[in-house]
Each structure stands twice: as C-alpha cells, then as structure tokens.
Amino acid sequence: MSLENFNPNDVGVDNGNYFGLPYTPEEANILMVSIPWDVTTSYKPGTANGPEAILAASTQLDMFDFDVNDAWKIGHGTVPMDESIKERSVKYRAIAAQVIEHLENGGELSDIEIQENLREVNTACEQLKQEVKATCASWLEKGKKIALVGGEHSVPLGYLEALAERHPQFGILQIDAHADLRDAYEGFTYSHASIMYNALKIKQVTKLVQVGIRDICQDEVDLARRDSRISLFDDYSLKYNSFEGLTWAEQCQRIIQTLPEKVYISFDIDGLTPEHSPNTGTPVAGGLTFHQAIYLFKKLVESGREIIGCDVNEVAPDAHSEWDANVGARVLFKLTNLMALSTPRP
C-alpha cells in the first residue's frame, strides 16, 4: 500500500511495519528499530519475543491521537528486524542461564567453572552494543529520530552512546520498577539490571531521573544518594505524596523540573502496574498507571523540552494473551507521537 492511497480509518495492514503505516525508512521521520535480545534477564526470560509481539499488536491500533493531530502523518517507519540477533540471543541466553543457576545454587562469581561462560556472554553483549550503536548512528546521521523496541533493558546502551556523539548533554527519564544501577549484576557487564549504571559512564548524560522505582538494593540507593546526577522518585514516595494530597500534576512538575532541555525516555514496561504487563520478566507490585505515564510525557513536551529518543523494553508476551504487547504498542505509539511533537521545527 502506498502513501497516496493509505486510509488511516481502514483495517490495519500486516505489512511488516509498526502500526501498519506505509512509510519506508527513507521516507520516515521516526524509525522503530527492533532489538530482540534477552540474554541477561535474571528472573523470567521472554523479552526477545517482545518486538515481534508489539509489531503484531500495533496494527490493531486506531490512528487517532487525542494529543497529536494527524499523528499518522508524522512518518513512522520500521527498520527491518535483524533475525540474527534473536538467534544469538537464544544461544547466549542458554549460556547465561548456566551462570545464573550456578550463583543461585550458592556458587561464586570467582569460580573457575563459570569464567568461560561469563566471558562469552559479555563478549556477545559488547558486540550487540556496538551493532546497536552503528545502526542508530547511521539513521541519526540521516536526520531520523529513533524508538528502540526491546528486548531486555540492556539494549539501549549503544543507542545512548550514538546520541552522545550528537548531543553535548542530555538527561534520561526512566520509567521502571527497578533502578538498574547494579555494577555488572551476576557478573554480566551489560546486564539488564546495569543499564543505568552503564549509561552514567557516558559523560554527556548529565541527569538521570528515575520514576516508579520500587525494587532496589542498598548499593543502588547509596549510589543514587551520592551521585548528584540521579534524582530518584520512588513509587513509595509518589504514592505517599498522593495520599497526603499532592496531585499527580504537582508531582509531574517536580519531576520535570529536574530534567534538562533534551531528554531521552527509557520505558521499562514493568514501571506500570502489573495488570498492564503481567508477563514481563520481573513484575513488581505497585507502579504507574498507563495514563499517569502518558500525562507525565505530555507535560514534559508542554514544558518545552525535546524528546531526542526513546525505548520501550521488557515486554514479554504470553502464548495465551496479547495484553502485554497491546499495552506496549500503545505506549510506543504515544511516545513516538509526542517525540515528534517535541521536535523543533526548522
């Protein structure tokens, strides 16, 4: 179907593109890049199937956006999925699982029998990071904005490094149940639980604002307290404030005030309440509602800040339910629409 005869009111077409939109990557302004990688997930695997599930669910969306006029005309494009990523994910997930099992049975990271496994997994994750960086850099060079679709939460690091080569400074707004500030969790340098620890090594990242955090270890709390770049809006404090009468609008204003003019949004689906994503790898009680998250993003754009990139990750579909992917697709559509709305016009 060509752009000339596309009707946003018709049935969604399974054309291999997110949302069934007819834009080629070259025609598009915003590109969806799928990274079906699920190697270091520490509780329940399955997020490598997230991109395909979100893609399938996305064609069921209606194209009207209550906040963005003619959203379908923005120009959403889809970079063809690299199937080799998922193949490697299966291979290295099996190797990582041996390390995790060893540790859960009381073994130590220093034990010689897991050293080769650790080396293989860390090498594979480093290679993926470089591939993601190269892919994103090539499209950024062409003036595109990118939404990365995972996969586990480790996958955006290469993208963040590519953005850092184009922006002198920017902040990260993280929606998540977990702080992801662990140093090489379970021995994996690029663990899904270490993404923000690694992101803070990028000097251009001047601020990390974490919202909805409710599962966190002491080391992560200590790091957040001593690093002035980190602002932690944990879920317990957010709920306490609301019980005490502070509105969500007032809390969003506090969150947004901590962010610089350019913002990258990293959206872990488990940042939402579990009924939104019951099959995600590490679900945690509590969290934001869908509309609380969208309101925050909308107010961020209304503040004049620019969303320079985003990711949606940790969607793990279930064979008997499309709900996780359904929610993930709607988060992706809204995020990309608001990203386009925030982009300064020439």
Side-chain angles (χ1 to χ4, degrees):
M1 180 181 293
S2 67
L3 196 56
E4 289 73 22
N5 60 13
F6 178 78
N7 184 345
N9 302 300
D10 281 347
V11 175
V13 177
D14 182 11
N15 59 2
N17 292 342
Y18 283 93
F19 318 116
L21 289 166
Y23 298 90
T24 66
E26 290 71 25
E27 293 170 333
N29 294 307
I30 292 179
L31 292 177
M32 264 52 67
V33 176
S34 303
I35 309 295
W37 186 259
D38 184 23
V39 171
T40 71
T41 307
S42 49
Y43 181 52
K44 186 178 70 172
T47 62
N49 299 318
E52 289 177 297
I54 293 173
L55 176 61
S58 71
T59 60
Q60 299 303 311
L61 271 68
D62 283 318
M63 292 290 101
F64 182 83
D65 188 310
F66 286 88
D67 301 310
V68 183
N69 292 331
D70 292 328
W72 71 273
K73 294 181 179 179
I74 287 169
H76 300 75
T78 300
V79 176
M81 194 178 307
D82 182 350
E83 296 296 336
S84 74
I85 293 177
K86 191 170 184 180
E87 292 170 4
R88 284 179 281 151
S89 177
V90 172
K91 174 183 176 180
Y92 291 106
R93 172 65 198 175
I95 297 172
Q98 295 176 32
V99 175
I100 295 170
E101 182 180 10
H102 176 82
L103 297 175
E104 289 179 344
N105 288 332
E108 300 290 337
L109 279 175
S110 58
D111 293 342
I112 193 168
E113 58 263 41
I114 62 167
Q115 291 307 302
E116 179 60 20
N117 286 350
L118 280 172
R119 186 194 66 77
E120 283 194 63
V121 171
N122 287 332
T123 299
C125 291
E126 169 69 26
Q127 180 183 343
L128 179 80
K129 185 193 76 162
Q130 295 301 333
E131 290 174 5
V132 170
K133 181 178 180 179
T135 297
C136 292
S138 67
W139 289 111
L140 291 171
E141 190 67 25
K142 296 174 183 177
K144 313 297 184 181
K145 281 194 169 181
I146 296 169
L148 209 65
V149 187
E152 65 173 52
H153 204 170
S154 68
V155 300
L157 186 59
Y159 179 20
L160 290 167
E161 291 181 353
L163 285 170
E165 293 179 351
R166 288 155 180 80
H167 298 280
Q169 61 178 27
F170 62 95
I172 298 173
L173 173 59
Q174 175 193 2
I175 308 299
D176 208 322
H178 310 88
D180 295 341
L181 290 171
R182 293 175 180 265
D183 180 3
Y185 185 56
E186 296 178 322
F188 304 127
T189 304
Y190 301 104
S191 170
H192 72 120
S194 303
I195 176 62
M196 294 306 161
Y197 181 91
N198 291 327
L200 288 170
K201 296 177 183 178
I202 302 171
K203 66 178 182 180
Q204 291 87 345
V205 175
T206 59
K207 193 69 183 180
L208 171 61
V209 179
Q210 303 180 298
V211 179
I213 311 301
R214 51 199 188 276
D215 216 12
I216 189 169
C217 75
Q218 186 65 54
D219 284 347
E220 293 174 299
V221 171
D222 293 343
L223 175 58
R225 287 173 176 171
R226 68 174 180 265
D227 192 328
S228 61
R229 293 174 297 170
I230 303 174
S231 291
L232 177 62
F233 292 86
D234 67 90
D235 197 51
Y236 288 93
S237 296
L238 293 174
K239 296 304 188 292
Y240 180 87
N241 290 341
S242 69
F243 299 152
E244 292 290 302
L246 198 64
T247 67
W248 182 238
E250 292 169 320
Q251 298 200 73
C252 286
Q253 184 178 19
R254 291 182 178 182
I255 293 167
I256 292 166
Q257 284 176 344
T258 65
L259 286 161
E261 292 304 305
K262 294 187 176 184
V263 180
Y264 177 93
I265 297 178
S266 190
F267 193 100
D268 188 325
I269 200 76
D270 69 25
L272 299 179
T273 55
E275 65 266 24
H276 289 89
S277 56
N279 297 294
T280 190
T282 317
V284 184
L288 305 183
T289 67
F290 174 85
H291 285 290
Q292 280 181 312
I294 300 307
Y295 180 85
L296 173 59
F297 301 151
K298 184 179 177 181
K299 298 305 288 186
L300 176 75
V301 173
E302 289 178 358
S303 75
R305 288 166 173 80
E306 179 186 1
I307 303 172
I308 61 170
C310 66
D311 64 69
V312 175
N313 60 78
E314 299 283 352
V315 171
D318 180 74
H320 306 292
S321 172
E322 296 182 1
W323 186 243
D324 300 69
N326 183 296
V327 174
R330 281 162 172 77
V331 170
L332 181 64
F333 190 58
K334 178 62 77 170
L335 256 181
T336 50
N337 294 345
L338 290 174
M339 181 161 62
L341 187 64
S342 76
T343 303
R345 296 183 178 181

